[in-house]
Amino acid sequence: MRLARGSTTVLAAMTAAVLALSGCGLGGSGTQPGNQSVTGEIKGQVSFQTWNLKSKFGDYFTGLIAEFEKQHPGTKIEWLDQPADGYADKLSADATAGTLPDIMNLSPDLAYPLYQKKLLLDLDTAAPEAKKDYLPNAWAGYVMPSADPALRRNASFPWYLNTGPYFYNKQLFGQNGLDPNKPPKTYDELKEQALRLASVSGGKVAMLGQTPGIEDFGLFGVPLMDEGGTKFTYNDTKGVQLLELYKAMYDAKALLPEALSATYTGAGAKFLAQQIALSSGSAYDLQKFRTDAPGLYANIGITEPMSNTGKANMYLQGLSIAAQSKNKPTAIAFARFVTNAKNQLAFAKIVTVFPSTAGTLDDGFFTAEDGTDVGRVRVAAAKQLANAVNYTPVQLSDQMKTILRNEIANAMLGKQSAKQALDNAVAQSDKLLRPNG
């Protein structure tokens, strides 16, 4: 199930405590067409673009940059911070104009089109020693798909991760025939409990507030694309099974009817109003429950997301290097400085995100609860990240997401079968994948 509220927002911060890079040289070579060998001293100016950070972390980043420049005399970091709205459009415009910054804060889906146009550095080749410093699943999250295995290369240094446990309303469970201490762990249990809850409540309480998104198909164990990333495959037998499961819940009023709207964003408010019993979110939401809905807060249960794969969904942010940067050594050095283990741990202690560096999640900050709401969620979420996966294909555009939601809505309404809905969504999305689609 998708995050109903508090899905990963673009947050980033870094601490003034830094880990100096040893030496002043940096070597490597790029294999992606257009990349050049990365050699030379760490000196000179580079531009560093972030995504909606300045309003909260302006002083912090200013200090961070000053520390790097102090450690590397002769360097200068030009910090560019863009608003969240229109960030993808700004990247596209800069790509067209040939003015991309040296270092860019990118999610995998934003990195993909730039990499396809050969505008991002291949980091597997440019910085081969870096891979070992990050969680394997975080590094893999930025490996760009290609029909040619040789071109499946990493396009970003992983920066920070996020995921979320699921919240459920113990009172609504107990009042409507469910065990408040046994939330659903499997999709079969989800269906069984959702139908019972809707029946006992006479359709007044729904279990869920959203139809499935692409990540739900991934969690269910549906293969989303072929190995080369050339076509979508979520219309297989398993995909149909998941959609039919949601159809059964919808028919029983265990799924909010408003969820069929492609623009519906009210599931969080419904959970807050105790009209749905199960939702997903973050520590921010738990704090909101405490202040805005104390009755709900007193009955909140926390559980792991349902998954047939045993792997939770993961959201990523990273730092990519422009292939045409005129100062790649300094760009790579600063990107690795921002994303090193010491800085990522310090960053995670400031905001509610998680480090992508190897071994950092073993720190007691992520393994021991501290008696706070944030601590409860942090520990629960950190357990999921060791083997979590970014299920959303990087090729999946917003247009493709809308197509999928519309076809799912038609299936929920009985206008077409689950199989036909997914076949239609796959056909339309595959057409968009082709350059002349």
Side-chain angles (χ1 to χ4, degrees), residues 289-308:
F289 301 154
R290 184 172 190 169
T291 57
D292 296 355
L296 170 63
Y297 177 79
N299 291 288
I300 281 291
I302 301 176
T303 187
E304 296 179 358
M306 284 146 304
S307 171
N308 287 352

Side-chain angles (χ1 to χ4, degrees), residues 53-75:
L53 300 177
K54 199 165 191 175
S55 62
K56 292 186 177 180
F57 307 110
D59 292 342
Y60 200 76
F61 269 82
T62 299
L64 174 68
I65 290 168
E67 182 64 25
F68 179 83
E69 292 173 348
K70 180 180 178 181
Q71 290 185 14
H72 299 281
T75 60

Side-chain angles (χ1 to χ4, degrees), residues 55-115:
S55 62
K56 292 186 177 180
F57 307 110
D59 292 342
Y60 200 76
F61 269 82
T62 299
L64 174 68
I65 290 168
E67 182 64 25
F68 179 83
E69 292 173 348
K70 180 180 178 181
Q71 290 185 14
H72 299 281
T75 60
K76 182 174 178 56
I77 308 299
E78 179 190 10
W79 181 27
L80 310 170
D81 188 62
Q82 302 296 337
D85 292 341
Y87 188 62
D89 293 337
K90 180 69 168 66
L91 288 169
S92 180
D94 287 346
T96 300
T99 58
L100 285 172
D102 297 284
I103 308 163
M104 291 162 278
N105 177 191
L106 300 175
S107 54
D109 60 312
L110 292 180
Y112 176 71
L114 297 177
Y115 185 84

Side-chain angles (χ1 to χ4, degrees), residues 207-261:
M207 178 68 87
L208 300 176
Q210 287 185 311
T211 54
I214 195 70
E215 65 271 27
D216 299 304
F217 286 86
L219 288 163
F220 195 72
V222 180
L224 304 179
M225 299 195 79
D226 67 348
E227 186 177 2
T230 62
K231 63 181 180 179
F232 290 97
T233 58
Y234 56 80
N235 58 333
D236 75 344
T237 302
K238 247 182 193 179
V240 172
Q241 181 183 353
L242 176 65
L243 192 49
E244 289 177 340
L245 184 153
Y246 269 79
K247 167 66 170 166
M249 290 193 291
Y250 178 79
D251 289 344
K253 298 185 178 181
L255 176 66
L256 285 180
E258 299 96 313
L260 302 193
S261 170

Side-chain angles (χ1 to χ4, degrees), residues 359-372:
T360 314
L361 288 173
D362 294 330
D363 187 271
F365 184 69
F366 303 107
T367 59
E369 292 188 16
D370 58 9
T372 67

